[in-house]
Amino acid sequence: WIYDYSKYKNVIISVNSQKILRELHGLLKKPVLYTPNYYPVKFSNDTTNIKEYGVLNIGCFGAIRPLKNHLMQAISAIEYANSMGKKLKFHINGTRIENNGNPVLKNLQSLFANNPKHELVEHKWLSHKDFITLLRKMDLSLQVSFSETYNIVTADAVNNNVPVVVSPE
């Protein structure tokens, strides 16, 4: 896609990662700009969310795509919940499927259908305000993607005091 975009005179290629900037240097016939992401930080002091006893709520939000690594994160969450002796509620966005992500969703649904102790909770795509309300109910947020250079869900979780596990990407 980047090669196709770079063919247009009125298109500027911009990246949010120094690593990708270095990797693209010399590959394209036009300059690439580095424009880091901006996230306004307003830490929440909201401590009103009461956690469910014996339940581990883990969010793995964002669009369902193959490189988001949902299935391995779900398996890891199940193993962690089992080690803690808790029921897992694994929360995802179940209505935003992109880049041939349907098999990923089907695998997640099958994983939890065959593991009745734990539950897959599918949420519709929410407004940002409603998403933050949901995110604050999580004990942990997983964003162990294979390919993202910036993840707004991670920024939202950090900004709302929800612990996050991420990948080097």
Side-chain angles (χ1 to χ4, degrees):
W1 292 342
I2 292 174
Y3 283 114
D4 289 340
Y5 287 133
S6 70
K7 295 175 186 174
Y8 296 99
K9 290 182 180 180
N10 62 342
V11 172
I12 297 170
I13 305 297
S14 175
V15 298
N16 63 355
S17 161
Q18 292 278 352
K19 178 183 174 190
I20 291 178
L21 181 67
R22 286 189 303 274
E23 290 172 353
L24 290 178
H25 181 72
L27 291 178
L28 302 178
K29 298 192 186 315
K30 65 189 318 183
V32 178
L33 297 177
Y34 171 64
T35 52
N37 293 300
Y38 169 75
Y39 186 95
V41 177
K42 296 177 185 171
F43 286 106
S44 168
N45 292 325
D46 182 7
T47 57
T48 59
N49 285 323
I50 308 235
K51 306 295 184 189
E52 293 178 75
Y53 180 78
V55 174
L56 185 62
N57 284 287
I58 295 181
C60 190
F61 295 109
I64 305 262
R65 286 186 237 133
L67 294 178
K68 294 274 283 187
N69 195 25
H70 280 85
L71 185 61
M72 290 307 298
Q73 293 177 86
I75 292 168
S76 297
I78 288 170
E79 289 178 2
Y80 180 67
N82 285 340
S83 75
M84 300 295 290
K86 293 187 175 192
K87 173 184 176 160
L88 170 66
K89 289 187 179 180
F90 192 76
H91 299 258
I92 63 168
N93 293 109
T95 59
R96 182 87 179 252
I97 315 300
E98 298 176 355
N99 299 348
N100 198 26
N102 284 322
V104 176
L105 179 59
K106 287 182 181 183
N107 282 333
L108 286 169
Q109 291 166 336
S110 179
L111 174 67
F112 284 92
N114 289 290
N115 197 331
K117 177 182 177 184
H118 304 297
E119 180 182 351
L120 177 65
V121 183
E122 297 183 43
H123 298 273
K124 66 180 183 176
W125 199 258
L126 300 170
S127 70
H128 190 249
K129 180 182 175 190
D130 290 341
F131 174 67
I132 295 302
T133 300
L134 172 63
L135 184 63
R136 287 179 177 168
K137 296 177 181 174
M138 298 301 114
D139 296 298
L140 181 67
S141 178
L142 296 179
Q143 294 297 311
V144 188
S145 171
F146 292 132
S147 65
E148 292 191 60
T149 58
Y150 182 77
N151 186 282
I152 192 78
V153 173
T154 299
D156 286 338
V158 169
N159 201 39
N160 286 280
N161 301 316
V162 177
V164 184
V165 176
V166 298
S167 67
E169 295 303 315

